[in-house]
Amino acid sequence: MLTFEEKEAIIQEFPELTRKEVSMKRVNYHYEDSLYEKTTVVYHLHPNGNGFVYVGDLSQYDAKEKGLVNIREASADELRQMIKDSIAYLATEEEELFDEEVEEEWKNKENSKLTLLQEDTLWNIYHGYNLEESFGSYEEAKSYLLEEGFRKVGTR
């Protein structure tokens, strides 16, 4: 596990982040040029090495409900990549994140398959050819699938 000092050294490799002290000796790092209200990239980095990186709904991460990934056990390379991805996420218009049609396959423990498909402005979930649910955003559809016990298995 990286120490607090090692994590801070890695975070400080990103000059676009601003350090802000918060309670109980914790620090946050903000990306002030964010296109969204959300500016926090590193959240509550604590001297014990615990902390979080905001990754929103990026599919390569298993983020908790607020889009945060715990970095307690992250390697130096993993931490750098998470921060790069977070900054890119906050610097990209939502529409640009999905320039091309998205089609993802999701499975649960019983091996049932659902397909998440972006169609126009909607995110539709299909069971075979039947429409199961429809959502206004990827994040809403992803949350529904995760709550129902499904995990993404691939992107087409």
Side-chain angles (χ1 to χ4, degrees):
M1 179 177 90
L2 298 170
T3 66
F4 173 80
E5 291 77 17
E6 291 169 326
K7 287 178 182 169
E8 270 216 313
I10 291 167
I11 296 164
Q12 290 171 1
E13 293 173 10
F14 297 88
E16 59 268 59
L17 298 180
T18 305
R19 184 181 198 269
K20 295 186 181 180
E21 293 189 23
V22 291
S23 62
M24 300 188 306
K25 300 181 183 177
R26 297 175 297 185
V27 293
N28 289 347
Y29 283 85
H30 293 262
Y31 176 59
E32 302 296 343
D33 293 331
S34 174
L35 297 177
Y36 306 96
E37 278 187 42
K38 180 72 170 174
T39 63
T40 307
V41 171
V42 179
Y43 179 74
H44 284 182
L45 180 61
H46 191 276
N48 70 9
N50 202 18
F52 303 88
V53 169
Y54 177 75
V55 294
D57 61 2
L58 292 173
S59 60
Q60 65 265 40
Y61 297 102
D62 186 25
K64 302 304 173 210
E65 68 184 60
K66 293 184 179 181
L68 298 170
V69 173
N70 191 296
I71 59 170
R72 182 173 189 78
E73 301 296 327
S75 70
D77 289 340
E78 289 169 334
L79 180 57
R80 275 186 195 92
Q81 190 60 54
M82 275 189 253
I83 293 170
K84 284 179 191 172
D85 291 342
S86 178
I87 292 169
Y89 184 80
L90 294 173
T92 306
E93 292 284 349
E94 189 170 340
E95 299 82 42
E96 292 176 38
L97 293 175
F98 301 104
D99 274 344
E100 53 190 58
E101 184 179 276
V102 173
E103 183 175 343
E104 298 176 349
E105 186 176 291
W106 292 67
K107 286 186 182 179
N108 64 9
K109 290 180 181 173
E110 290 79 40
N111 230 15
S112 295
K113 279 194 256 182
L114 293 177
T115 302
L116 174 59
L117 184 61
Q118 179 190 15
E119 297 177 299
D120 296 320
T121 60
L122 294 176
W123 295 88
N124 297 320
I125 298 173
Y126 289 93
H127 181 259
Y129 292 108
N130 298 319
L131 179 63
E132 179 92 12
E133 290 286 340
S134 189
F135 298 91
S137 74
Y138 178 82
E139 189 170 317
E140 290 172 326
K142 177 183 169 187
S143 292
Y144 169 81
L145 287 162
L146 292 172
E147 287 171 13
E148 295 296 319
F150 286 81
R151 298 291 178 256
K152 185 168 75 164
V153 294
T155 303
R156 281 185 270 172

